[in-house]
Amino acid sequence: MIPASFDYIAPATLDEAMRALAAHGEEAKLLAGGHSLLPLMKLRLANPKLLIDLSRIPGLSGISQQNDKIVIGALTTHYQLESSPLIKKLSPLLSQTARVIGDVQVRNRGTIGGSLIHADPCADWPAAILALNGELRLSGPKGLRSLAAEDFFLGPLTTAIEPAEILTEIRVPVSPRRCGSAYLKMAQQASGFAIVGVAAWLRVGRQGRCEDIGVGLTGLSAKPFRARAVEERLRGNKLTPKLIEASASEVAAGSDPLEDLHASAEYRAHLARVFTSRAIQEAARKAGGRNP
Ligand SMILES: Cc1cc2nc3c(=O)[nH]c(=O)nc-3n(C[C@H](O)[C@H](O)[C@H](O)COP(=O)(O)OP(=O)(O)OC[C@H]3O[C@@H](n4cnc5c(N)ncnc54)[C@H](O)[C@@H]3O)c2cc1C
């Protein structure tokens, strides 16, 4: 399918992009990697009159460390996150997640910011950013604001971003020593999207007790979420296989599992339990230093 005709601009600054977005309102759409927006345009499910390409704006892409945070530009591609030595060392959950997104072409063009804003209920990034307690920085006409990932996802394809705002960066804490993480998913064979995906991050103390933990789920229900009940059951305790299994058995409680041609609600809930248990066990093993 061919999209409806549209105008295209490629601003050189963030201010210019924000002005264009404010001036054209709902008629305009921001363009990052185009791997979610262009399929929608080709299906005529989105018909923007103007595309504002963000790719020429300096500073919107890249990975750096600022004190105890990793700062990721919104236009950083999945592949950049997959292959960055800094990410592998200081926040391996991000490279573990990036490497299972789509295929090589998708990872080369698609961006973390575009994925978080698009908020597909089966996208991979939301699970990892939730597990890491990440923060999203948004620039708009009223200035810069910061939102916790947990407050950002509101529903399928719906987030807390305002129409005239641009996501500029994502911040996650540096993972210090004795941390472990894992991202596991059952992927749709055609696209790679998660039928269910579970991201687990944790830190263990010298006595082997879990000092901190984040577990993010995608694909199970209409919006990604943090499995707070599972985390609470494990925080402060020794991570025995029995306790991990028991806590994982509650991961789907209170959720309303999706049901579609890919999987029934029961199967999704089952996958969530199995992958939660496996992801936490793998993260605990890595935090113990046996498999960095
Ligand atoms: C064949 C295929 C397989 C895929 N498989 C997977 C998979 O396995 N897992 C997965 O998670 N995803 C998958 N995807 C989706 C892919 O990861 C997309 O790249 C991603 O969802 C969107 O990123 P993008 O940079 O392409 O955004 P775009 O398509 O350019 O934009 C998406 C939306 O975000 C808005 N936007 C983009 N950047 C910003 C910004 N900085 N501020 C505000 N708004 C912004 C756009 O206006 C648009 O509404 C797949 C896509 C395809 C085509």
Side-chain angles (χ1 to χ4, degrees):
M1 287 270 292
I2 297 171
S5 66
F6 55 87
D7 290 328
Y8 168 92
I9 56 168
T13 65
L14 189 61
D15 279 351
E16 212 184 308
M18 284 195 298
R19 277 199 301 275
L21 191 58
H24 291 86
E26 301 223 323
E27 306 238 292
K29 271 277 180 198
L30 299 169
L31 177 69
H35 270 55
S36 291
L37 181 56
L38 289 183
L40 289 179
M41 289 170 63
K42 288 182 175 182
L43 291 167
R44 309 259 173 143
L45 294 170
N47 296 299
K49 299 272 182 296
L50 174 69
L51 281 191
I52 304 170
D53 187 347
L54 298 175
S55 66
R56 309 237 175 110
I57 301 174
L60 276 189
S61 162
I63 302 160
S64 61
Q65 182 182 2
Q66 283 179 23
N67 303 317
D68 61 347
K69 299 275 173 183
I70 304 281
V71 180
I72 303 157
L75 259 74
T76 307
T77 63
H78 309 320
Y79 176 70
Q80 285 172 307
L81 284 149
E82 176 187 358
S83 58
S84 157
L86 189 71
I87 291 291
K88 282 183 187 156
K89 187 168 166 219
L90 296 180
S91 193
L93 180 57
L94 297 177
S95 48
Q96 290 154 3
T97 305
R99 71 178 176 225
V100 295
I101 295 178
D103 53 28
V104 174
Q105 186 185 353
V106 172
R107 294 198 291 278
N108 268 319
R109 292 292 308 175
T111 67
I112 184 169
S115 173
L116 294 171
I117 298 289
H118 186 63
D120 188 299
C122 299
D124 296 298
W125 280 126
I129 301 302
L130 282 164
L132 290 170
N133 205 14
E135 172 195 332
L136 288 87
R137 296 217 164 175
L138 304 158
S139 278
K142 293 182 201 150
L144 182 72
R145 69 180 176 126
S146 203
L147 271 182
E150 220 172 347
D151 298 326
F152 187 69
F153 302 104
L154 303 181
L157 309 184
T158 312
T159 70
I161 193 168
E162 296 287 340
E165 284 182 323
I166 297 178
L167 174 65
T168 52
E169 63 187 37
I170 299 102
R171 291 178 170 234
V172 296
V174 165
S175 292
R177 291 180 60 209
R178 298 199 304 276
C179 288
S181 61
Y183 180 66
L184 300 180
K185 73 168 166 178
M186 166 76 83
Q188 284 177 34
Q189 291 305 301
S191 68
F193 273 103
I195 291 173
V196 167
V198 180
W201 172 92
L202 55 84
R203 188 179 72 238
V204 294
R206 289 192 195 286
Q207 310 301 323
R209 289 187 192 282
C210 173
E211 288 182 345
D212 200 3
I213 180 164
V215 179
L217 271 91
T218 188
L220 179 63
S221 45
K223 67 170 189 167
F225 66 95
R226 205 167 149 177
R228 288 283 183 187
V230 175
E231 295 172 10
E232 292 315 319
R233 192 133 179 219
L234 296 177
R235 196 174 283 114
N237 291 311
K238 287 219 170 191
L239 294 172
T240 62
K242 201 171 161 196
L243 182 62
I244 294 172
E245 288 251 346
S247 70
S249 70
E250 291 168 17
V251 72
S255 70
D256 185 11
L258 295 172
E259 188 148 40
D260 57 22
L261 80 168
H262 300 296
S264 66
E266 291 74 24
Y267 186 52
R268 276 198 163 83
H270 169 76
L271 287 177
R273 286 192 289 273
V274 171
F275 283 139
T276 299
S277 174
R278 286 185 193 167
I280 296 171
Q281 304 218 32
E282 192 175 323
R285 189 165 44 81
K286 289 173 177 168
R290 273 171 282 159
N291 187 8

